[in-house]
Amino acid sequence: MSDIILEMKDILKIYPNGIVANEHINLSLKKGEIHALLGENGAGKSTLMKVLFGIEIPEEGEIILKGKRVYIKSPHEAIANGIGMVHQHFMLVPSLTAAENIILGVEPRKFGLFTNMEKAIEVADNIAKMYNFDIDVRAKVETLPVGIKQKVEILKALYRGAEILILDEPTAVLTPQETEELFIQLNKLKEKGHTIIFISHKLDEIKLICDRLTIMRNGKNKGTYKTEDVTTEEISRLMVGRDVFLEFDKEKANPKKTVLKVRDVSVKNKLGNLKVNNISFDIREGEILGIAGVEGNGQNELVDILTGLNENYTGNVLIFNKEAKELGIKGIRDLKVSHIPEDRMTYGCAKDMDILQNVFSNQYGDEKYSSKYLLKSKAMETRAEELIDEFLIKCNSFKQSVGMLSGGNIQKVVVAREFSVGPKIIVANQPTRGIDVGAAEFIRKKIIEFRDQGCAVLLVSADLNEVFELSDRLAVMYKGEFSGVFTNVEELTEEELGKYMLGLKKDEKLEGIIYE
Amino acid sequence: MQSVFNIIFSPDFFYDVLRVTTPILFATLAATVASRSGIFNIALEGIMLIAALVGVIFSAYFSSAWLGLLFALISGGLVGLFLGFLVLKLKTDAILAGIAINLMAAGGTIFLLYIISGDRGVSSSIKSLVLPKFPLPVIKNIPIIGTILSMQNILTYVVLLSVIVIHILLYKTPLGLKIRAVGENPNAAESVGINVHKIQYIAVTISGILAAFGGAFLSMGYLSMFSNGMTAGRGFIGLAADAMGGSTPIGALLVSLLFGIADSMGNVIQTGIKIPYEIVQMLPYITTIVGLAIFSYSKKKQIEKLKSK
Ligand SMILES: Nc1ncnc2c1ncn2[C@@H]1O[C@H](COP(=O)(O)OP(=O)(O)OP(=O)(O)O)[C@@H](O)[C@H]1O
Ligand SMILES: [Mg+2]
């Protein structure tokens, strides 16, 4: 078969902590195909790709590229062999600009010695335009929201013009429009003969764009199929090993008194641009307010304000009738406000600490787990084990450091921690980012359970299905304002919502956002 | 008291400030380059000491101050490389490796000095040479400025030039971009095919050479001989200055000048007022501590201000 461009044969990868992440895996790619890699969190997808990209060295197995055996022992060698990778957890240098990150390692020069920064910016700008990504390439990466970081990461790989491109969950934080845009580009690359490996937990995406798919479970290959030959249900079953039911019923919300009151809140970013513009809304006990919107329209800034991370705003935020600014982060959390941050690696976890330390990082002061001077380790360990079971966190034990978990499992640790305090208000920013279908449904069910127990939920998500499925009310954010509010979400169509998200439609009067 | 005042506002005082600043600034720049690449080079003190002695020995051996300097620089580069080897290849903790190098340098230089000159304290019996002082054309004729800038040791000019060179290196060249990327996120650097260790080796070597310049200046400019422990903590002051200057060359220049002023002030006060010698000697170190305290306090305030606005 001459159209096979790459073969991974019998790959065995055992991490130093004894976890067998890849158990004799075979994978073969045809030239010019888009090949999906599927599997639950912790199935070993990222590991297999890291092996291909030279970040992890396998214990056994070989890689055959265009009929020749190659030894890929570092990313450098992978790149030299025409392999590029977009990493699940971004590989970006925060203090450098987007342009500098894109050209890092392949810098345009002038006079042989100096970086040609003008050229670099031009090149970065051009490639961003070419792929229809709206990015200010002069901005430092640390100031960018996750969605934009994701785009920078994608551009970085595309700029290097890889013949085989690995995309590890590139769409986890993209909005549907952005994903669509990306797919157009991927199809173009495919036509030009590039081969693409695509990892995603969103099965509809895979149905849409992939030619073939390989399913992994527990470090093993469960078979490669032509996409048209398998249904979504079959895929789920192969992934999980049993039938998965994706639908569930949600009772109508039964909201009570207002617990979170936001009035005339505005905030500027460091550059002085207005990111949240005079927003007011209420959330009541027992309801879920969804916020939809294209990334970067002020959602994150809003979340930062509500959770106390940013106190640099005008207007009022009242949490249980107390001014948020006076409460501070600790005060807010003491009122049982939980926060699932968008960026799990920066704000969500301490990656070098173990699971136990991470799940208790918000409740060391709780007397269940701590006496006056000493921590009650027995109680903590028992509780940590409970949480691991409940949230299906795939790990060795609670002593495993969080950085060594798979991406989706890190997200589960964050969610477990935030849910375990018995929250009265949940501010959830992309709560199921990178989580497999089964676990994502579990988390959504949890959110609804909390709602039914009287918890107020603010949900920000780029995943429209999620927003539709969960929200009792839905507000659309566009350029720092609400462009529309919907109290009967069931009647809203995705198209209609899209118009509001893109600013094509805007309601002057917002009904049902404030109760008074 | 009046006389002290007069001295401080004289061109001679500022001439002295530049002279005193020179070794500190070299050390600070050395710290900057290393820490930017992600390696905390605590071995600066030892490298300076080694280079100071090597410079003296080879300048005497070849009867050439320039060859003395060259060998001093080579020794500094090699020790820097050695630190890199310990940290990168043998995976030693950078702080521990640095302390080891410092201890080795402190003892080793005395030992070597004793073998060569038979003296444990100073190298006065070795006929070493000093690097020349240098009149600046044109500038030397400008009043005041001429007095301050002209006729400095050649290495004083070198260090000022180094500020610019290191600035360009870090911010205008691909190597600098790589150094910064490696120091901040080695995984990201590696993922784009950068050889992280190679970049770090280069950075510690440059760092070693810069520190060696500072060491050579001490024994072949500031003084005309080697004396045991003559670096007197300048390597550590350099590390503090680097932290205060935010690991930038321009910051390094400003903070080093501040330390230079404190140091010169010490010299002046010593001659002007009757304060115990030991207290005056403490001045540069006290400045370091006070400086670091002010620096972190203002940082804290800044953060608070940002939050409360
Ligand atoms: N650096 C590491 N050290 C030890 N174990 C690791 C490390 N990285 C991953 N693992 C383990 O290897 C297994 C596979 O992880 P991997 O990241 O490949 O999963 P994945 O399929 O990409 O999952 P996800 O969908 O959550 O991203 C997991 O059980 C994880 O705990
Ligand atoms: Mg993964």
Side-chain angles (χ1 to χ4, degrees), chain A residues 13-22 38-50 56 88-89 168-169 199 201 216 219 344 394-396 400-410 412 434-436:
Chain A
K13 172 69 203 174
I14 305 174
Y15 280 110
N17 57 3
I19 291 179
V20 185
N22 290 162
L38 283 156
E40 286 183 293
N41 296 133
K45 307 177 294 290
S46 296
T47 303
L48 187 66
M49 291 303 105
K50 285 181 190 165
E56 299 289 352
Q88 184 173 13
H89 294 130
D168 195 350
E169 300 197 28
I199 300 179
H201 290 291
M216 290 179 67
R344 58 175 169 247
K394 192 161 183 271
C395 61
N396 269 358
Q400 191 172 347
S401 67
V402 165
M404 291 186 178
L405 295 175
S406 80
N409 282 302
I410 296 175
K412 291 183 202 165
I435 291 191
D436 63 50

Side-chain angles (χ1 to χ4, degrees), chain B residues 28-44:
Chain B
T28 311
L29 288 173
T32 301
V33 173
S35 62
R36 269 308 172 95
S37 80
I39 295 183
F40 193 62
N41 186 356
I42 203 176
L44 292 176

